[in-house]
């Protein structure tokens, strides 16, 4: 190649031979890699279309407001939607204060030492524990109660909304703490130091400066954790929550079902009509989950600009 | 409060300062109580861990009173729910889990790495800021939804047309593995991409300067430099596959089988646990305690994977300065 005499005035800068092959391969790789990136998104799109086609014909007001039923046509989401709202609400009330408290404790009050590093490591490990293990924990501790030599350490709650919410609260606690810790770390130390220098107590500093500054990050992490709890099925089935519920929940001491459990229930039925119900249930659940995710992303984007 | 630098005697000043500090640590009534509450919050996670370990291992000890550890660890047949013919060899359930891990990784690993390389090395920042959140939606989809699709769409409209209806049973490990791969794709892509983004520019520019193409820089420079993060991502993804329940419970079947073949009905550890949970086994029976023996095994596996992943990230983090 190089030995060929240069064609007077046409000196080409194009690579030839091996170099050209390498460059062509590299240019081609862009499209192959893009294709691989889009593969997962493509699957998501196909599944979304499939769900719409099957589910939308079933999804109407009657479906939303009916109790479950043996007949696919009469069955609806009423009790499972109410159950989901009850469980989510109770989980939020139980988990969020503890999560924020833990994060504030770790970042602002915990003594630097072995105890604190053990707590940190422990939370990181808890985040990796499978949800079904939390289900077993809920079953043995919250549903059946703990008794040691005749002394009740924890009362047996039965398969109630409270037991389910306690289980889910423990499950989302590590994620929420990790997100809150990250958010608190993003607050500039100068704000904290300034407040302390002006004579505020550490607790006043946390309440008036650190927490407000960290709030968007805490909310983003919390909402994502809640959306995970909304779709959780295995942990709730493990504590025994797959009863037939045909009443409106009025308190946290009642049996319950959720949309995710109802989808599971309908999927296990062999009849095609129940599959359509499951698809309609999936639409409702995905609207909730994607809605929560969108809110989280919006909060993050809105406060990042500032 | 803040007095100007004074000429007052040192002793007086120090005493005042001390008094102020005592005062200002818990100035208002109730602050001490709030701080005590914060301490309590800090210990709740520890209590959770203690509860998990004691409940799991407590009942597992009861299980081993009836079933010898030799049977559990050395036998290969798992047949628990049929009275009279019980056999508790864990390996069929471990094989079921390994089967799903293997086949989900076959699909998720190349796709996840390709996505990470594309997002980190090829994509325009604006493209990345659009693609990455969409990809992460995949991780937020409830797993019962994936389970539904594995059973109704993947098996019926993908696997059966390809392999033939007579060769693909309704419940098979491949349908579960495929959906599992979609589920963990963002975990692999996102965590690997973070690791690749942390590789310093100088390494890339050095390679470009020596005439490497974009693909060569990505594969031969960035990927090796980010390897610890990539391995950690894969281990975290495997831990999620091992712990995932709904997809395998609905789509992979409930017949423990000692096989790694993709087109067979299998049962994973989580699948067995959910089956017992649905069956409402009475407390104290062998089925009830076997649930805890399997759960302990699962817990040990996922815990080990998480610890190793954390260790790799900390130990092999390349510090460039």
């Amino acid at each position: 190649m190089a030995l060929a005499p240069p064609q007077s005035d046409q000196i080409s800068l194009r690579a030839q031979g091996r170099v050209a092959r390498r460059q062509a391969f590299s240019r081609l790789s862009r499209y192959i890699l893009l294709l691989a990136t889009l593969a997962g998104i493509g699957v998501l799109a196909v599944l979304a279309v499939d769900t719409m086609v099957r589910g939308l014909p079933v999804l109407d007001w009657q479906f939303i407001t009916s109790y479950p039923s043996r007949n696919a046509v009469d069955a609806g989401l009423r009790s499972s939607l109410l159950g989901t709202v009850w469980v989510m609400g109770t989980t939020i009330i139980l988990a969020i204060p503890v999560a924020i408290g833990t994060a504030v404790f770790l970042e602002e009050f915990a003594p630097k030492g072995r105890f604190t590093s053990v707590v940190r490591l422990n939370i990181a490990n808890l985040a990796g524990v499978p949800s079904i293990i939390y289900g077993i924990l809920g079953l043995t501790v919250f549903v059946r109660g703990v008794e040691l030599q005749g002394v009740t350490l924890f009362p047996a709650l039965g398969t109630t909304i409270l037991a389910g919410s306690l289980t889910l609260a423990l499950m989302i606690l590590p994620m929420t703490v990790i997100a809150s810790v990250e958010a608190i770390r993003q607050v500039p130390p100068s704000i904290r130091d300034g407040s302390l220098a002006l004579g505020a107590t550490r607790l006043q500093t946390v309440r008036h400066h650190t927490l407000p500054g960290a709030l968007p990050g805490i909310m983003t992490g919390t909402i994502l954790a809640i959306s995970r709890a909304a779709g959780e099925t295995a942990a709730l089935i493990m504590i025994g929550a797959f009863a037939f519920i045909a009443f409106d929940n009025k308190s946290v001491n009642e049996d319950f079902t959720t949309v995710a459990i109802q989808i599971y229930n309908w999927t296990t039925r062999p009849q095609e009509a129940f599959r359509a119900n499951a698809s309609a249930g999936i639409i409702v659940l995905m609207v909730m989950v994607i809605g929560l995710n969108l809110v989280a992303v919006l909060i993050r984007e809105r406060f990042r600009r500032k | 409060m803040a007095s100007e630098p004074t000429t007052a005697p040192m002793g007086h000043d120090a005493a005042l300062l001390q008094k102020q500090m005592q005062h200002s640590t818990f100035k208002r009534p109730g602050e001490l109580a709030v701080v005590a509450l914060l301490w309590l919050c800090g210990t709740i996670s520890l209590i959770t861990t203690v509860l998990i370990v004691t409940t799991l291992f407590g009942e597992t000890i009861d299980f081993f009173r009836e079933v010898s550890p030799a049977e559990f660890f050395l036998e290969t047949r798992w047949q628990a729910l049929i009275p009279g013919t019980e056999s508790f060899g864990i390996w069929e359930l471990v094989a079921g889990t390994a089967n799903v891990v293997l086949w989900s990784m076959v699909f998720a690993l190349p796709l996840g790495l390709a996505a990470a390389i594309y997002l980190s090395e090829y994509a325009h920042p604006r493209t990345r800021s659009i693609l990455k959140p969409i990809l992460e939606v995949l991780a937020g989809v409830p797993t019962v939804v994936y389970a539904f699709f594995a059973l109704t769409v993947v098996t019926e409209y993908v696997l059966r047309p390809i392999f033939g209806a007579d060769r693909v049973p309704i419940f098979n490990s491949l349908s579960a593995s495929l959906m599992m791969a979609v589920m963990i794709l963002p975990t692999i892509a996102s965590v690997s991409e973070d690791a690749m983004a942390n590789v310093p520019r100088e390494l890339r520019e050095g390679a470009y300067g020596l005439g490497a193409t974009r693909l060569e820089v990505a594969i031969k420079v960035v990927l090796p430099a980010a390897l610890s993060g990539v391995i950690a991502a894969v281990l975290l993804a495997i831990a999620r596959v091992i712990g995932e329940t709904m997809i395998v419970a609905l789509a992979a079947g409930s017949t423990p089988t000692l096989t790694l073949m993709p087109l067979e009905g299998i049962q994973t550890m989580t699948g067995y646990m959910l089956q017992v949970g649905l069956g409402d086994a009475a407390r104290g029976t062998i089925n009830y305690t076997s649930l805890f023996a399997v759960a302990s095994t699962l817990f040990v596996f996922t815990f080990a994977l998480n610890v190793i992943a954390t260790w790799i990230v900390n130990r092999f983090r390349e510090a460039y300065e």
Side-chain angles (χ1 to χ4, degrees), chain B residues 4-48:
Chain B
E4 61 263 44
T6 94
T7 52
M10 277 298 286
H12 174 76
D13 211 27
L16 188 75
L17 190 66
Q18 201 184 15
K19 200 175 159 199
Q20 271 188 358
M21 279 178 65
Q22 276 177 355
H23 215 60
S24 76
T25 313
F26 302 114
K27 189 152 60 185
R28 310 172 73 186
E31 287 210 349
L32 189 62
V34 174
V35 173
L37 273 179
L38 291 178
W39 271 86
L40 193 66
C41 290
T43 54
I44 282 184
S45 73
L46 291 178
I47 296 171
T48 310

Side-chain angles (χ1 to χ4, degrees), chain A residues 122-141:
Chain A
N122 180 49
I123 288 172
N125 282 326
L126 279 179
V129 171
S131 62
I132 194 164
I133 302 265
Y134 283 102
I136 289 188
L137 179 69
L139 175 71
T140 44
V141 177

Side-chain angles (χ1 to χ4, degrees), chain A residues 22 29 51 122 144 201 264, chain B residues 45 49 122 149 216 278 288:
Chain A
R22 281 168 55 205
S29 71
T51 309
N122 180 49
R144 301 200 164 163
T201 65
Y264 168 77
Chain B
S45 73
T49 305
Y122 288 75
F149 289 127
E216 288 161 351
L278 283 164
Y288 185 76

Side-chain angles (χ1 to χ4, degrees), chain B:
Chain B
M1 285 221 303
S3 53
E4 61 263 44
T6 94
T7 52
M10 277 298 286
H12 174 76
D13 211 27
L16 188 75
L17 190 66
Q18 201 184 15
K19 200 175 159 199
Q20 271 188 358
M21 279 178 65
Q22 276 177 355
H23 215 60
S24 76
T25 313
F26 302 114
K27 189 152 60 185
R28 310 172 73 186
E31 287 210 349
L32 189 62
V34 174
V35 173
L37 273 179
L38 291 178
W39 271 86
L40 193 66
C41 290
T43 54
I44 282 184
S45 73
L46 291 178
I47 296 171
T48 310
T49 305
V50 171
L51 281 176
I52 289 177
V53 171
T54 49
T55 50
L56 287 189
F57 292 116
E59 298 277 355
T60 303
I61 290 169
D62 281 352
F63 173 78
F64 281 127
R65 288 213 179 96
E66 285 189 59
V67 177
S68 72
E71 177 180 345
F72 189 72
F73 291 112
L74 298 177
E75 293 280 321
T76 54
R77 210 164 64 87
W78 185 273
Q79 187 163 346
L81 300 175
I82 303 165
T85 60
E86 285 106 332
S87 170
F88 295 98
I90 188 69
W91 291 106
E92 277 187 338
L93 295 182
V94 173
T97 299
N99 187 323
V100 176
V101 169
L102 171 70
W103 291 103
S104 60
M105 279 299 149
V106 162
F107 295 99
L109 197 57
L111 286 179
L113 278 185
I117 290 174
Y118 180 80
L119 290 174
S120 159
E121 304 300 312
Y122 288 75
H124 188 274
R126 206 166 58 225
T127 319
R128 178 170 61 227
S129 71
I130 296 170
L131 280 182
K132 211 177 168 188
I134 298 180
L135 203 59
E136 277 167 1
V137 169
L138 289 172
V141 175
T143 57
V144 69
V145 175
Y146 284 129
F148 174 82
F149 289 127
L151 185 65
T152 60
V153 180
V154 177
T155 298
E156 281 174 32
Y157 297 109
V158 180
L159 298 182
R160 287 199 155 162
I162 293 177
F163 296 104
D166 49 330
R167 290 183 56 198
V168 183
I170 284 277
F171 302 109
N172 60 80
S173 110
L174 189 58
S175 62
S177 305
L178 279 168
M179 278 295 111
M180 205 80 97
V182 175
M183 177 188 85
I184 56 169
L185 206 57
T187 307
I188 296 181
S190 196
V191 180
S192 305
E193 198 258 329
D194 289 341
M196 289 177 189
N198 282 331
V199 174
R201 273 176 72 102
E202 288 83 353
L203 285 187
R204 294 188 182 89
E205 283 167 0
Y208 281 131
L210 292 170
T213 64
R214 194 184 278 263
L215 180 67
E216 288 161 351
V217 169
I219 303 235
K220 293 181 180 167
V221 176
V222 177
L223 190 59
L227 198 61
S228 70
V230 172
I231 292 175
V234 172
L235 290 181
L236 288 177
I238 292 178
R240 275 201 70 186
V241 172
I242 291 178
E244 170 46 34
T245 309
M246 298 318 295
I247 300 177
V248 285
L250 267 171
S254 52
T255 48
T257 317
L258 198 69
T259 179
L260 291 178
M261 297 302 285
L263 293 179
E264 304 217 18
I266 53 151
Q267 185 165 47
T268 65
M269 293 187 274
T270 52
Y272 174 74
M273 288 161 68
L274 197 83
Q275 192 187 4
V276 176
L278 283 164
D280 200 25
R283 203 171 193 169
T285 61
I286 187 71
N287 283 337
Y288 185 76
T289 55
S290 74
L291 167 65
F292 289 82
V294 176
S296 299
T297 315
L298 173 74
F299 181 73
V300 168
F301 272 111
T302 51
F303 185 77
L305 277 171
N306 281 305
V307 168
I308 294 171
T310 317
W311 182 77
I312 286 179
V313 168
N314 292 331
R315 173 69 182 74
F316 296 102
R317 176 182 290 143
E318 299 274 349
Y320 301 102
E321 240 349 288

Side-chain angles (χ1 to χ4, degrees), chain A residues 140-161:
Chain A
T140 44
V141 177
F142 303 135
V143 174
R144 301 200 164 163
V146 182
E147 219 174 77
L148 203 68
Q149 271 133 21
V151 184
T152 306
L153 295 180
F154 198 93
L157 297 172
T159 307
T160 55
I161 290 173

